[in-house]
Amino acid sequence: MFGSAMGDGGGGGAAGVAGDGGSAGDGDGGGGPRRVPMRDLAAEHAALRAELDAALARVLDSGQFIGGPEVEAFERELAAAVGCARAVGVSSGTDALLVSLMALGVRPGDEVVTTPFSFFATAGAIARLGARPVFADIDPATLNLDAAAAARAVSPRTRAVLPVNLYGRLAELPDVGVPILEDAAQSIGAGPPRAAAAALSFFPSKNLGALGDAGAVLTSDGELADRVALLRNHGARPKYHNLLVGGNFRLDAIQAALLRVKLPRLAAWTAARRAAAARYRALFASAVDADAALSEHLVLPPPSPEHVYHHFVIRARDREGLRRHLGAAGIATEVYYPGALHLQPCFADLGHRPGDFPAAEAAAADALAIPVDAGIRPAAQEYVVAQIADFYRPR
């Protein structure tokens, strides 16, 4: 596996390091270790502080904290920004998945085909409805759900297929005769939804992050959007007249107002992330030119023009040793995700064993996210790549 994708040149997922402060790549002035966080939310919010304060004050003065004009305006603006007919604001990315599956009619005993390599909420939302997650392995190059494997996993009991646009890369959608719901929690800005619906997360460290939990469902199906909107408020219409059993999946007006401040910057932030990813590719290519042996230890994510680089994930030999080395050098890293979902204890009743989905298990063992952010400085990226090359240099 290693050494297959280092020299491709050029080019162009949930939690991260949220609000850890500092500037990405600031030196300490004395030639010592730098500090390169995964994400510098403090700097992002400092630049927007006056607008964020004004948005918060506007909501406080209105007295409208649940639904209302701020949520409605954000939904319109979000739909226009991503290029779909409707956006329905909800309380989190997890709830976006859950209410979308409910709106698609997933019930106890149904099956939903999905990936074993994702954040837990993807499969957890299926199980919470009493449905059965049916896993299919991932493409070892993209780490997204293998579309052919997903199609083979469809059965007469399959109600939906749930691929994940992992790390910000669009997954290939299988050609199946059931609805597809995109888990787009990490891929806002990559394009409009390509399926029945797409679920977004605005967790603070996402490319478009709230100042708390928030999410949305995107769709161009007006009937489906209306059903999601009904379900997010206990299925009530009008008030106290419950047509369906839904839930409390409402988006807070404060989060909607704060997201409205950030949304106009999304396109520029996405372009900056793509530029940072291209810079990493060039830096790694130069490092390999200097030391060809480096290509035996690392694999870069294959380039894709739609990728929005919520994470820049390499595959690294001796991942834990590399993490310790980078941590000592002041460079943050994260593992997304350290355990394949089919081997989680809560899914033991599904009967899976190690080796059932080898590509997902291999990715869980060697995938490593390195810092990438709209505000990351070229010097910080140079430092990251230099430290990675140093770790693999023969002693």
Side-chain angles (χ1 to χ4, degrees), residues 48-84:
L48 303 175
R49 183 58 183 266
E51 291 177 71
L52 294 171
D53 284 346
L56 178 59
R58 187 171 69 241
V59 176
L60 290 174
D61 291 343
S62 76
Q64 178 86 51
F65 305 125
I66 303 296
E70 292 289 350
V71 172
E72 294 165 4
F74 174 64
E75 289 174 336
R76 291 192 301 270
E77 292 161 9
L78 176 62
V82 300
C84 72

Side-chain angles (χ1 to χ4, degrees), residues 18-306:
D20 55 354
S23 295
D26 283 345
D28 63 5
R34 307 181 184 200
R35 185 169 176 276
V36 187
M38 288 292 288
R39 181 80 187 272
D40 191 352
L41 287 178
E44 177 182 308
H45 293 152
L48 303 175
R49 183 58 183 266
E51 291 177 71
L52 294 171
D53 284 346
L56 178 59
R58 187 171 69 241
V59 176
L60 290 174
D61 291 343
S62 76
Q64 178 86 51
F65 305 125
I66 303 296
E70 292 289 350
V71 172
E72 294 165 4
F74 174 64
E75 289 174 336
R76 291 192 301 270
E77 292 161 9
L78 176 62
V82 300
C84 72
R86 294 281 297 278
V88 182
V90 295
S91 42
S92 70
T94 299
D95 288 340
L97 291 170
L98 185 65
V99 74
S100 295
L101 291 170
M102 293 170 70
L104 290 172
V106 174
R107 299 289 184 266
D110 290 339
E111 293 181 351
V112 178
V113 176
T114 193
T115 170
F117 190 61
S118 175
F119 182 60
F120 177 78
T122 305
I126 299 167
R128 284 174 63 185
L129 294 176
R132 178 185 177 90
V134 175
F135 296 112
D137 211 354
I138 62 172
D139 181 318
T142 66
L143 308 188
N144 279 327
L145 179 66
D146 183 306
R152 290 193 297 270
V154 170
S155 81
R157 294 181 297 279
T158 302
R159 186 71 180 190
V161 177
L162 178 49
V164 178
N165 298 331
L166 196 66
Y167 308 143
R169 177 191 301 277
L170 295 181
E172 180 184 356
L173 302 185
D175 184 9
V176 290
V178 296
I180 296 176
L181 167 63
E182 289 182 80
D183 183 336
Q186 300 179 358
S187 63
I188 188 170
R194 301 166 295 152
L200 296 183
S201 169
F202 303 122
F203 186 80
S205 64
K206 291 294 192 288
N207 291 19
L208 180 65
L211 274 69
D213 275 318
V217 178
L218 306 177
T219 183
S220 290
D221 182 332
E223 186 175 328
L224 184 62
D226 288 342
R227 191 172 180 84
V228 169
L230 178 64
L231 287 165
R232 72 175 168 181
N233 191 28
H234 297 289
R237 187 179 296 155
K239 189 176 182 179
Y240 303 128
H241 183 71
N242 300 84
L243 302 174
L244 299 170
V245 177
N248 179 1
F249 307 132
R250 299 179 297 238
L251 174 62
D252 288 343
I254 285 176
Q255 297 301 341
L258 298 173
L259 286 164
R260 291 182 69 197
V261 172
K262 292 187 172 187
L263 181 59
R265 276 90 173 176
L266 178 62
W269 288 342
T270 300
R273 284 177 174 272
R274 287 170 170 159
R279 192 178 303 117
Y280 265 138
R281 294 182 190 284
L283 289 167
F284 276 114
S286 295
V288 169
D289 287 344
D291 182 1
L294 183 61
S295 66
E296 298 303 315
H297 302 284
L298 296 173
V299 173
L300 302 187
S304 167
E306 297 86 7

Side-chain angles (χ1 to χ4, degrees), residues 276-344:
R279 192 178 303 117
Y280 265 138
R281 294 182 190 284
L283 289 167
F284 276 114
S286 295
V288 169
D289 287 344
D291 182 1
L294 183 61
S295 66
E296 298 303 315
H297 302 284
L298 296 173
V299 173
L300 302 187
S304 167
E306 297 86 7
H307 204 316
V308 296
Y309 294 98
H310 176 56
H311 298 304
F312 191 94
V313 175
I314 62 175
R315 303 189 68 175
R317 179 170 285 158
D318 187 12
R319 179 180 69 189
E320 296 312 310
L322 177 60
R323 289 197 78 191
R324 289 191 295 272
H325 175 82
L326 295 178
I331 299 168
T333 59
E334 290 289 345
V335 175
Y336 303 108
Y337 298 91
L341 293 178
H342 65 288
L343 300 178
Q344 294 294 333

